Amino acid sequence: MKIVIIGGVAGGASAAARARRLSEEAEIIVLERGPHPSFANCGLPYYIGGEISSRDKLLVAPVAMLRQRHRLDVRVRSEVTQIDRDNQTVTVHDLDSGKTYIESYDKLIIATGASPFRPPIPGIESSWIMELRDLGDADRMHEAATARAKQAVIVGAGFIGIEVAENLVRRGMHVTIVELADQILPPWDREMAIPIEAHLRKHGVDIRLNESVQAFEETEHGLTVQLQSGETLSADFAVVSIGVRPESQLAADAGIECGERGGIRTNAQMQTNDPNVYAVGDVCEVSCFVSKATVQIPLAGPANRQGRIAADHIFGRMSAYRGTQSSAVVGAFEMTAAMTGLSEKLLNRAALNYEKVYIHPSDHAGYYPGATQMTLKLLFDPQDGAILGAQCVGTNGVDKRIDVLAIAIQAGMTVYDLEEVELCYAPQYGHAKDPINMAGFVASGVLRGDQPIVHLDTLHPSTRDEPFLLDVRTEQEFAAGHIPGATNIPLEALRERTGELPVDKKIVAYCQVGQRGYMATRILIQRGYEAANLSGGYRLWSNSMIDRAD
């Protein structure tokens, strides 16, 4: 068996290593266009910021290791320029010698990845406009950030944009992020991104939302960046991070089927329309585990699993890719945002029915020092309680809860199952009733009818059907800030003061995070009132009101 793999890094390198473990006899050739077949591209921003001090730490599997330990024929600086499916060969251009040769294959794995999208903005070809895809890009940015550079403009507020911003600030630079959307981290729902946006601003990051770059112009000392609003920013360099596009032209030219967005179409075994050709990683299309829709998700975890599955199938193993859940995490200045499954915006786009709840638990027992609060959003099917997605933002314990919910989605669990999940507990690590349990309690209570809820986005002030807004926090909390139009009756006094409430209006109770609002709702329902709890409480409302003025 002769296997040729085009590309390394996550998908290609994992396919090669797995193929060797399955067969000592197979001839395995890895053709990598760059100088490094396996490096930690997710670690590049942290090398630029100095968190990872040694560049060598980013070399996950150096060429020598792959050749000696795995006996792989690794050829770096080797670019494949053509695939001939009829003759099962590839044309290889040796970038160092300039020579071209033909290599045959029995099975071919395409792992060419994705490249940063560079929009046709005037001046974008300037050498002071960078991207971050490989170690060469990281070297250039590291050199600039540790030399004379004092200010940078980052175009795009996705994963890479946020991580690069944090690390350039750690180098003492002034950073401005320009984002076309009305929020940072566009895959997240807007209200869940606001806290981390405020945190970035607190650390000096200048964020311009609903804004775009119209032109770049080189100056004697760097760049000027012309914005759509008419404002001009000065920068020593700019970083473009507005998404990636699959590098699938090689495959398309060979007649391998690609989707509308360019991703190579694959089945569950990562095969293309040619059974002898596989595609893995950022270059391919896969299915969404939750919705079953076709998606392109450029994440390292899925790429590694896809590479392994392709190798398994080549050697007759019963292995299949289940689909991606888009599980992701990003950090900025000790704050974390994580998600899994579908967001609310994707559920709306797909016209799928859903319900949602918000909770604001601490990461561990409040009586143990160092507890910090997080916000957890759970999305689920209103009919059977199946978990559709989750997002969380906070300081500690965020990734842990999203990881648990990612497993719950894989296992086909419901919100009722979350009530019964048994997780490890000690006061410095969590709660006897973990946030996972609490999310299950709240969501299950909604489905059982024990806890009717309303959401901020469904409240319509100044209409005939406006509900009676009841703040059940203490008088001191109410005085410190409340939702306009609310009436304050503390929970402890509610039973004695229900006569002050209207009987001809729906009552929406709220507290700081939702627990007292739930208790008030239960009291009122049992007294014959039409009542509901405001999901997420005052904390969610106040987050949505954060001043975004620049």
Side-chain angles (χ1 to χ4, degrees), residues 259-276:
E260 292 182 5
R261 297 185 60 198
I264 298 174
R265 288 179 171 157
T266 59
N267 62 17
Q269 287 70 42
M270 309 313 301
Q271 280 178 303
T272 68
N273 58 303
D274 185 329
N276 292 316

mmCIF file of all heavy atoms in Angstrom, residues 259-276:
data_model
loop_
_atom_site.group_PDB
_atom_site.id
_atom_site.type_symbol
_atom_site.label_atom_id
_atom_site.label_comp_id
_atom_site.label_asym_id
_atom_site.label_seq_id
_atom_site.Cartn_x
_atom_site.Cartn_y
_atom_site.Cartn_z
ATOM 1 N N GLY A 259 -18.039 21.867 -2.483
ATOM 2 C CA GLY A 259 -19.287 22.554 -2.184
ATOM 3 C C GLY A 259 -19.267 23.999 -2.636
ATOM 4 O O GLY A 259 -18.279 24.496 -3.194
ATOM 5 N N GLU A 260 -20.363 24.694 -2.350
ATOM 6 C CA GLU A 260 -20.509 26.082 -2.788
ATOM 7 C C GLU A 260 -19.445 26.998 -2.196
ATOM 8 O O GLU A 260 -19.027 27.968 -2.831
ATOM 9 C CB GLU A 260 -21.899 26.599 -2.407
ATOM 10 C CG GLU A 260 -23.036 25.939 -3.176
ATOM 11 C CD GLU A 260 -24.388 26.505 -2.797
ATOM 12 O OE1 GLU A 260 -24.422 27.474 -2.000
ATOM 13 O OE2 GLU A 260 -25.401 25.992 -3.279
ATOM 14 N N ARG A 261 -19.020 26.708 -0.971
ATOM 15 C CA ARG A 261 -18.009 27.550 -0.324
ATOM 16 C C ARG A 261 -16.600 27.030 -0.546
ATOM 17 O O ARG A 261 -15.652 27.511 0.057
ATOM 18 C CB ARG A 261 -18.303 27.656 1.170
ATOM 19 C CG ARG A 261 -19.635 28.327 1.475
ATOM 20 C CD ARG A 261 -19.809 28.499 2.968
ATOM 21 N NE ARG A 261 -18.754 29.327 3.538
ATOM 22 C CZ ARG A 261 -18.444 29.367 4.836
ATOM 23 N NH1 ARG A 261 -19.118 28.604 5.686
ATOM 24 N NH2 ARG A 261 -17.484 30.150 5.270
ATOM 25 N N GLY A 262 -16.459 26.028 -1.414
ATOM 26 C CA GLY A 262 -15.135 25.555 -1.785
ATOM 27 C C GLY A 262 -14.628 24.343 -1.037
ATOM 28 O O GLY A 262 -13.593 23.775 -1.401
ATOM 29 N N GLY A 263 -15.302 23.930 0.027
ATOM 30 C CA GLY A 263 -14.845 22.771 0.782
ATOM 31 C C GLY A 263 -15.038 21.474 0.001
ATOM 32 O O GLY A 263 -16.043 21.300 -0.701
ATOM 33 N N ILE A 264 -14.065 20.565 0.117
ATOM 34 C CA ILE A 264 -14.158 19.277 -0.576
ATOM 35 C C ILE A 264 -15.238 18.434 0.084
ATOM 36 O O ILE A 264 -15.263 18.275 1.305
ATOM 37 C CB ILE A 264 -12.805 18.539 -0.532
ATOM 38 C CG1 ILE A 264 -11.732 19.361 -1.250
ATOM 39 C CG2 ILE A 264 -12.926 17.152 -1.165
ATOM 40 C CD1 ILE A 264 -10.337 18.775 -1.131
ATOM 41 N N ARG A 265 -16.131 17.893 -0.723
ATOM 42 C CA ARG A 265 -17.214 17.075 -0.189
ATOM 43 C C ARG A 265 -16.693 15.693 0.189
ATOM 44 O O ARG A 265 -15.988 15.046 -0.587
ATOM 45 C CB ARG A 265 -18.338 16.952 -1.216
ATOM 46 C CG ARG A 265 -19.106 18.248 -1.382
ATOM 47 C CD ARG A 265 -20.196 18.143 -2.421
ATOM 48 N NE ARG A 265 -21.031 19.336 -2.402
ATOM 49 C CZ ARG A 265 -21.766 19.764 -3.423
ATOM 50 N NH1 ARG A 265 -21.788 19.077 -4.551
ATOM 51 N NH2 ARG A 265 -22.488 20.853 -3.313
ATOM 52 N N THR A 266 -17.063 15.247 1.380
ATOM 53 C CA THR A 266 -16.603 13.948 1.880
ATOM 54 C C THR A 266 -17.773 13.186 2.489
ATOM 55 O O THR A 266 -18.787 13.767 2.867
ATOM 56 C CB THR A 266 -15.523 14.122 2.964
ATOM 57 O OG1 THR A 266 -16.063 14.886 4.055
ATOM 58 C CG2 THR A 266 -14.296 14.836 2.412
ATOM 59 N N ASN A 267 -17.587 11.871 2.603
ATOM 60 C CA ASN A 267 -18.556 11.066 3.342
ATOM 61 C C ASN A 267 -18.062 10.876 4.770
ATOM 62 O O ASN A 267 -17.072 11.493 5.179
ATOM 63 C CB ASN A 267 -18.811 9.730 2.630
ATOM 64 C CG ASN A 267 -17.547 8.865 2.525
ATOM 65 O OD1 ASN A 267 -16.562 9.088 3.239
ATOM 66 N ND2 ASN A 267 -17.574 7.887 1.641
ATOM 67 N N ALA A 268 -18.716 10.021 5.520
ATOM 68 C CA ALA A 268 -18.362 9.848 6.933
ATOM 69 C C ALA A 268 -16.993 9.210 7.116
ATOM 70 O O ALA A 268 -16.416 9.277 8.205
ATOM 71 C CB ALA A 268 -19.427 9.003 7.638
ATOM 72 N N GLN A 269 -16.476 8.562 6.074
ATOM 73 C CA GLN A 269 -15.132 7.967 6.136
ATOM 74 C C GLN A 269 -14.075 8.901 5.563
ATOM 75 O O GLN A 269 -12.940 8.509 5.361
ATOM 76 C CB GLN A 269 -15.115 6.630 5.372
ATOM 77 C CG GLN A 269 -15.847 5.499 6.083
ATOM 78 C CD GLN A 269 -17.350 5.692 6.093
ATOM 79 O OE1 GLN A 269 -17.938 6.098 5.077
ATOM 80 N NE2 GLN A 269 -17.979 5.427 7.230
ATOM 81 N N MET A 270 -14.470 10.132 5.257
ATOM 82 C CA MET A 270 -13.609 11.185 4.722
ATOM 83 C C MET A 270 -13.194 10.926 3.268
ATOM 84 O O MET A 270 -12.254 11.534 2.770
ATOM 85 C CB MET A 270 -12.357 11.400 5.601
ATOM 86 C CG MET A 270 -12.647 11.603 7.077
ATOM 87 S SD MET A 270 -13.976 12.795 7.438
ATOM 88 C CE MET A 270 -13.367 14.298 6.687
ATOM 89 N N GLN A 271 -13.939 10.055 2.583
ATOM 90 C CA GLN A 271 -13.702 9.829 1.156
ATOM 91 C C GLN A 271 -14.371 10.911 0.321
ATOM 92 O O GLN A 271 -15.458 11.396 0.654
ATOM 93 C CB GLN A 271 -14.282 8.481 0.721
ATOM 94 C CG GLN A 271 -13.425 7.280 1.061
ATOM 95 C CD GLN A 271 -14.129 6.009 0.632
ATOM 96 O OE1 GLN A 271 -15.251 5.746 1.059
ATOM 97 N NE2 GLN A 271 -13.464 5.213 -0.186
ATOM 98 N N THR A 272 -13.740 11.255 -0.781
ATOM 99 C CA THR A 272 -14.325 12.156 -1.753
ATOM 100 C C THR A 272 -15.149 11.341 -2.752
ATOM 101 O O THR A 272 -15.381 10.145 -2.552
ATOM 102 C CB THR A 272 -13.224 12.930 -2.494
ATOM 103 O OG1 THR A 272 -12.488 12.019 -3.310
ATOM 104 C CG2 THR A 272 -12.276 13.595 -1.495
ATOM 105 N N ASN A 273 -15.586 11.979 -3.845
ATOM 106 C CA ASN A 273 -16.290 11.231 -4.884
ATOM 107 C C ASN A 273 -15.391 10.227 -5.593
ATOM 108 O O ASN A 273 -15.867 9.364 -6.325
ATOM 109 C CB ASN A 273 -16.913 12.193 -5.909
ATOM 110 C CG ASN A 273 -15.883 13.094 -6.573
ATOM 111 O OD1 ASN A 273 -15.162 13.824 -5.894
ATOM 112 N ND2 ASN A 273 -15.816 13.069 -7.893
ATOM 113 N N ASP A 274 -14.091 10.318 -5.391
ATOM 114 C CA ASP A 274 -13.140 9.307 -5.851
ATOM 115 C C ASP A 274 -12.788 8.427 -4.657
ATOM 116 O O ASP A 274 -12.211 8.919 -3.672
ATOM 117 C CB ASP A 274 -11.883 9.981 -6.398
ATOM 118 C CG ASP A 274 -10.889 8.995 -7.000
ATOM 119 O OD1 ASP A 274 -10.834 7.835 -6.526
ATOM 120 O OD2 ASP A 274 -10.150 9.397 -7.919
ATOM 121 N N PRO A 275 -13.132 7.141 -4.661
ATOM 122 C CA PRO A 275 -12.895 6.285 -3.483
ATOM 123 C C PRO A 275 -11.432 6.134 -3.102
ATOM 124 O O PRO A 275 -11.137 5.697 -1.983
ATOM 125 C CB PRO A 275 -13.505 4.942 -3.903
ATOM 126 C CG PRO A 275 -13.542 4.970 -5.396
ATOM 127 C CD PRO A 275 -13.761 6.403 -5.766
ATOM 128 N N ASN A 276 -10.523 6.493 -3.992
ATOM 129 C CA ASN A 276 -9.095 6.411 -3.676
ATOM 130 C C ASN A 276 -8.531 7.730 -3.152
ATOM 131 O O ASN A 276 -7.343 7.823 -2.855
ATOM 132 C CB ASN A 276 -8.297 5.980 -4.913
ATOM 133 C CG ASN A 276 -8.601 4.558 -5.314
ATOM 134 O OD1 ASN A 276 -8.670 3.663 -4.467
ATOM 135 N ND2 ASN A 276 -8.809 4.336 -6.610
#
